[in-house]
Amino acid sequence: MLANSIPLLTPQHWKDYELIDCGDFEKLERFGDHVLIRPEPQAVWPKGLTEEEWTKRHDIRFKGRSATSGDWLRKRPGLPDRWHINYRNADVSIRFRLGLTSFKHVGIFPEQAVNWDYIAETVKTFRTKRPKVLNLFAYTGGASLIARAAGADTTHVDSIKQVVTWANENQALSGLSDIRWVVEDALKFVKRELKRGNRYNGIILDPPAYGHGPKGEKWKLEDHIAGMMKDVVGLLDPHEHFLILNTYSLGFSSVIVENLVRAVYPQADNLETGELYLQATAGSKLPLGVFGKFRKIGQP
């Protein structure tokens, strides 16, 4: 008997982003007009291009000083700390401010464009006139911007004030308004929303493997995700909804995500689980997380 194949999904609409190559624990990426070299722990295979080609093509390289911080080395003077890129699909268009942070991130996770397309398509398909969408662990707001641009009443929750401020800046750059910004521990926010009896038509979770809330609350994915998912599904509107769970953890598989969703919400319609990846121009596929998603569209 043939085993079921696991969906492997990669973004299809990026013009301002390109994974050029990856390997030897690094990745060579183009964000708009600038090409960066950053560490990548999943890229355990050899590079597709030569070191000479990497040196020739990159503008800025991240060099780590510790496990959590490092410095950006520019190949020539005048290269910016901040710049802008766009994302557009068939339904919406948004704009981001990128920046060189001390912990190697630039303010966007490009593989999440797969989920953005799903959000935009689903919100546009909903019969609810102004669906409510909740984005948890929302970072600089890619999913929040997409949901709002598609017409949803959007709530953005993250425990770090600086990234919520960054997301607000992205909202302005995208010509959007009225996203609700919440700086709070996601677990606490969900429990409070349950007590209030609030419901959402869409919920997005992109939790880190490890993290801390604004008051030092500790988050460890494998310890907390089951309990959180049990609470989160209680916030779903029973008539029309979608849910996306994305996990970036070396210990998680799509089977784990499937079991987790089925356990807390066995009535999930159209459940799909699989892996997100970025396709390098040089040939390799870079795995960047496991997802689970399902939706229910209201009847006419």
Side-chain angles (χ1 to χ4, degrees):
M1 185 169 65
L2 294 174
N4 293 329
S5 60
I6 297 173
L8 304 176
L9 304 182
T10 192
Q12 301 296 323
H13 303 291
W14 270 113
K15 303 295 184 186
D16 280 3
Y17 175 81
E18 177 189 6
L19 177 63
I20 300 168
D21 192 18
C22 53
D24 296 323
F25 304 100
E26 290 187 311
K27 52 190 173 184
L28 181 69
E29 307 168 280
R30 178 181 60 81
F31 292 91
D33 295 330
H34 305 296
V35 176
L36 279 55
I37 296 176
R38 295 192 291 165
E40 179 45 65
Q42 304 248 60
V44 300
W45 52 87
K47 293 174 180 174
L49 302 176
T50 64
E51 286 292 345
E52 290 76 13
E53 187 69 19
W54 278 56
T55 300
K56 177 183 176 182
R57 297 185 70 164
H58 89 277
D59 299 309
I60 308 171
R61 184 175 206 143
F62 184 87
K63 185 176 182 180
R65 284 184 280 106
S66 70
T68 57
S69 65
D71 301 297
W72 294 94
L73 307 178
R74 292 165 174 79
K75 199 159 66 172
R76 61 183 185 273
L79 290 169
D81 288 327
R82 299 182 176 191
W83 69 102
H84 298 145
I85 65 170
N86 301 307
Y87 181 75
R88 181 189 300 272
N89 61 25
D91 297 302
V92 296
S93 177
I94 56 176
R95 187 167 173 83
F96 297 92
R97 189 268 287 174
L98 302 188
L100 304 178
T101 71
S102 63
F103 46 95
K104 84 178 180 180
H105 297 307
V106 296
I108 197 170
F109 295 105
E111 73 280 358
Q112 290 302 310
V114 170
N115 290 330
W116 300 344
D117 294 345
Y118 183 87
I119 294 164
E121 177 197 353
T122 305
V123 170
K124 293 278 189 179
T125 306
F126 275 162
R127 300 183 181 277
T128 304
K129 288 187 177 180
R130 192 176 174 87
K132 295 175 62 179
V133 170
L134 172 63
N135 188 13
L136 299 166
F137 309 98
Y139 193 47
T140 58
S144 302
L145 300 177
I146 288 285
R148 184 70 192 93
D153 182 352
T154 304
T155 300
H156 173 113
V157 181
D158 198 282
S159 64
I160 301 174
K161 184 177 181 180
Q162 294 93 322
V163 297
V164 175
T165 300
W166 194 338
N168 198 353
E169 184 178 341
N170 288 335
Q171 175 183 237
L173 287 169
S174 300
L176 301 170
S177 61
D178 299 327
I179 293 175
R180 179 191 177 200
W181 308 108
V182 180
V183 180
E184 190 172 359
D185 176 72
L187 282 166
K188 290 184 177 179
F189 179 83
V190 168
K191 289 185 179 297
R192 199 165 63 250
E193 289 292 270
L194 281 172
K195 290 180 180 178
R196 291 170 175 163
N198 288 334
R199 294 291 182 269
Y200 293 88
N201 300 102
I203 301 178
I204 305 126
L205 300 95
D206 190 10
Y210 302 95
H212 293 87
K215 297 182 180 178
E217 301 92 340
K218 292 184 178 180
W219 167 271
K220 189 176 181 182
L221 184 65
E222 55 266 41
D223 292 344
H224 294 104
I225 191 61
M228 184 168 194
M229 284 293 293
K230 184 178 180 181
D231 287 342
V232 161
V233 296
L235 296 177
L236 285 174
D237 181 288
H239 305 294
E240 191 164 55
H241 58 246
F242 75 84
L243 184 142
I244 299 172
L245 170 63
N246 190 81
T247 66
Y248 182 82
S249 173
L250 295 179
F252 266 56
S253 71
S254 59
V255 174
I256 290 176
V257 171
E258 180 181 359
N259 289 340
L260 183 60
V261 174
R262 293 290 188 198
V264 299
Y265 204 73
Q267 68 270 40
D269 293 330
N270 308 309
L271 175 62
E272 180 182 0
T273 62
E275 287 193 43
L276 300 182
Y277 73 95
L278 291 173
Q279 177 65 59
T281 308
S284 298
K285 291 180 172 66
L286 178 62
L288 286 169
V290 175
F291 70 88
K293 60 188 179 184
F294 61 87
R295 60 187 170 190
K296 180 179 180 181
I297 307 297
Q299 298 300 312

